[in-house]
Each structure stands twice: as C-alpha cells, then as structure tokens.
Amino acid sequence: MTHPEWIEVVDSHTEGEPTRVVIEGWPMPSGATMSEKRADLRERFDHLRRAVVTEPRGHDAIVGALLTPPVSEGAHCGVVFFNDVGTLGMCGHGLIGVTKTLAHLGRLAPGAVTIDTPAGPVVSTLLGDGSVTFANVPSFLYAKDAAVEVPGYGPVVGDIAYGGNWFFLTELPEIVIGLPNLERLMAVTRAIREALWDQGVANEAAPIDHIELFSPSPRADAHSRNFVLCPGAAYDRSPCGTGTSAKLATLVERGVLKPGQVWRQESVTGSLFEGTVEVRGDDLIPHIRGRAYVTGTARLRFEPSDPFRYGIRPA
Ligand code: PYC
C-alpha cells in the first residue's frame, strides 16, 4: 500500500453537485485502457479513494476524479471517477467539473477536447460563456417497463437504461420531488434499488446502481424534474449527466423526443441541464450542457498517526 502524506485537490460544483479533482500526490494507476486503470485504482488505491472523498476530509456526495494520461490517440487526458462506495464508469457532472477545473488551472482553453473514461472517450467543450457541453458515450434504453415488487411500496414499473452508468427510471406521482421531501425520496429509491438487486431485475453487464425518479417541473423552462439516487449514500444535487443521458436515450427510443430536439432536465435542487441527442450511425449520443464553479483548492494531509487517515468507515 502506498501512503502519501498529502494529496492536492481542486473542488468545484456542477449545478450543485460537488466534484473533487486530484491534481497531485496520488500515484498513477497502471493499465493500457481506462478500464484497466480503473481496476488498478480499485485494487491498489481504494484506501486513497476513501481518504479523498469520504469523511472526515470529504462527505458522501463528493465525486472524486483522478486525472491520468490519455489512452486514445489525440485525447487530452483520462479520468477515473470515484465516490463514497467505489468507482464510476462515467460521470457527467464530474466531467463538466473536470473541464472547468482544467481551465481554472490554465491547462485548457475554450474549445473541444477528448477525455478518456472507463466507459469510453467523451468530447467536452468549454464554451465562451463558461458553460460546458459534452458528447457522451452511446446511450440506450435496455428494457422497457421492467416490473419490480418493492417491499413497503408495492409494484413499481420503470425503464432500465444506460448513459455511461446504469439507471432504473420511473415515476411515482404520489411522492413529490422536492427538497422538503428528501427523506421519503431517499427511502423509496433505496428500497427500489434493493428490490431490483434482490429480485434479479438486471442488465447482464453490471448492477443497476442509480435510481431516477421523474415528475413534471414547476419551472416554465424545464421539461421535467428528477431525483437521482447515486450508487452510495448520496443523491445527485445536479440533474445527473449520465442520468439525463439515459433519460434522453429512453425518450428518443420511445418516440417522445426527436434527435436534435432540446430537453431541459431540472434537478431536485432546482438546477438545470440542457440536452439533445445526436444519431451517429446506430448510436444515440447525448449532448449535455451545464455550468460548474470552482469552490476551493486544498492540500489534504494524511498524518501517519491519524486513525481516520483513510476515512471513518471501514473498507
Ligand atoms: O452526473 O453522471 C453524473 C453523476 C453520476 C453520479 C453522480 N453524478
């Protein structure tokens, strides 16, 4: 195990959801592909994941981003995203945060760059007004109207879709999506996630670890409001970049949204992502636009005698 005494980070939030980009002090994971780098990070550096994003130096909602050398030709860099419980294939709000952070550090000028992720290369564009738009990995509706029996709530029907991570998307009109209702929203989405796993309602590749609820939005400029339970203990404060991608692919495949047509997704906190879908050959490529703001820079310290050097919760 490597035990760095400090790691430097830049913090930002994207439409309310925090990203912590590691810029120095974390040894590079090895691997010729981003999936191999992600696997190496899991195997050799899980203690650093916990140290950087969980308490006492972080909290459940932070998504960490470890920058790596690129693996595909012409790419600007690679990135492995991680959170309170593990790693992510892609992270939309995180990619917007990484892009703004690189610009803040003087490592990126306005324009488009390719960034490699374990889910595949994505193209991120820093726009003149400071917002960021990214072209995601191919996204798709995997299963329409999948049913699950949720203990305490009854049958729930929803779609299973991929947008760089796996999502179960549904509507529960009896539960209002809003900040005053967070406890109920967390409880029902956790219950759905557990029921999906217990009852084997699944895709073949990876567990469905994000649950996304939708309702109409009170905003005149938004098409929908969502609540997204992330894989660990947190909900997404932004509309979720990969979740909005999964939603857009679902809407296109259901014939509700046309390619190129704008969809504005509001989050439970009231923030907004704007998205469209591009058809590229057989693939649906979501384009998601949002804003991120740098909130701080820090040198996290890990004293050898600190009993919570690698987080409070055990591995
Ligand atoms: O924006 O894709 C996203 C995301 C995933 C988990 C938290 N945010």
Side-chain angles (χ1 to χ4, degrees):
M1 251 186 18
T2 47
H3 303 284
E5 283 192 15
W6 54 264
I7 288 179
E8 276 186 10
V9 298
V10 176
D11 285 346
S12 61
H13 78 83
T14 303
E15 305 294 352
E17 177 76 349
T19 306
R20 175 164 281 178
V21 180
V22 174
I23 55 167
E24 237 187 294
W26 183 321
M28 273 301 110
S30 56
T33 65
M34 291 310 297
S35 296
E36 286 172 9
K37 289 185 196 298
R38 173 191 187 176
D40 192 44
L41 187 153
R42 278 183 182 152
E43 197 170 311
R44 290 197 297 138
F45 303 121
D46 199 60
H47 59 302
L48 300 186
R49 173 190 65 75
R50 284 183 277 115
V52 166
V53 292
T54 69
E55 291 181 46
R57 293 169 187 79
H59 56 80
D60 287 338
I62 294 185
V63 171
L66 180 67
L67 302 176
T68 72
V71 296
S72 65
E73 210 180 314
H76 183 82
C77 63
V79 61
V80 181
F81 292 107
F82 52 93
N83 68 1
D84 56 330
V85 289
T87 59
L88 294 161
M90 224 306 269
C91 179
H93 93 268
L95 192 81
I96 294 172
V98 164
T99 305
K100 276 305 285 254
T101 295
L102 291 173
H104 168 78
L105 295 170
R107 298 187 194 171
L108 202 69
V113 287
T114 299
I115 298 181
D116 291 318
T117 77
V122 293
V123 176
S124 189
T125 306
L126 177 61
L127 300 168
D129 67 356
S131 67
V132 175
T133 182
F134 70 90
N136 201 358
V137 295
S139 300
F140 52 90
L141 171 61
Y142 176 83
K144 239 186 220 180
D145 299 328
V148 61
E149 183 63 33
V150 184
Y153 297 92
V156 174
V157 174
D159 293 333
I160 298 171
Y162 180 77
N165 293 302
W166 284 96
F167 290 82
F168 182 81
L169 302 90
T170 192
E171 289 178 17
L172 300 175
E174 65 281 11
I175 302 182
V176 174
I177 298 183
L179 288 176
N181 220 5
L182 273 184
E183 272 179 37
R184 278 192 83 195
L185 291 161
M186 290 298 290
V188 69
T189 48
R190 280 198 189 117
I192 293 173
R193 184 168 65 191
E194 260 169 52
L196 286 168
W197 292 356
D198 287 350
Q199 291 162 41
V201 182
N203 60 303
E204 284 117 38
I208 303 160
D209 51 9
H210 293 71
I211 310 298
E212 192 165 3
L213 306 183
F214 295 91
S215 73
S217 168
R219 278 180 69 149
D221 60 347
H223 296 92
S224 157
R225 174 183 272 186
N226 73 6
F227 173 85
V228 181
L229 177 70
C230 298
Y235 71 93
D236 200 326
R237 278 70 171 160
S238 82
C240 191
T242 52
T244 301
S245 297
K247 175 69 173 176
L248 289 175
T250 300
L251 290 169
V252 169
E253 291 195 35
R254 279 183 172 276
V256 176
L257 189 76
K258 292 192 185 68
Q261 195 180 337
V262 172
W263 180 266
R264 289 191 198 86
Q265 184 64 58
E266 188 200 16
S267 72
V268 67
T269 64
S271 58
L272 206 73
F273 279 162
E274 190 174 284
T276 56
V277 172
E278 173 199 353
V279 178
R280 206 182 284 168
D282 289 339
D283 291 334
L284 298 180
I285 307 292
H287 291 243
I288 307 291
R289 180 174 178 169
R291 298 159 307 161
Y293 302 90
V294 171
T295 55
T297 55
R299 175 173 276 215
L300 306 175
R301 300 199 61 81
F302 308 99
E303 288 187 38
S305 62
D306 182 349
F308 296 135
R309 195 178 182 188
Y310 300 126
I312 289 175
R313 280 191 225 141

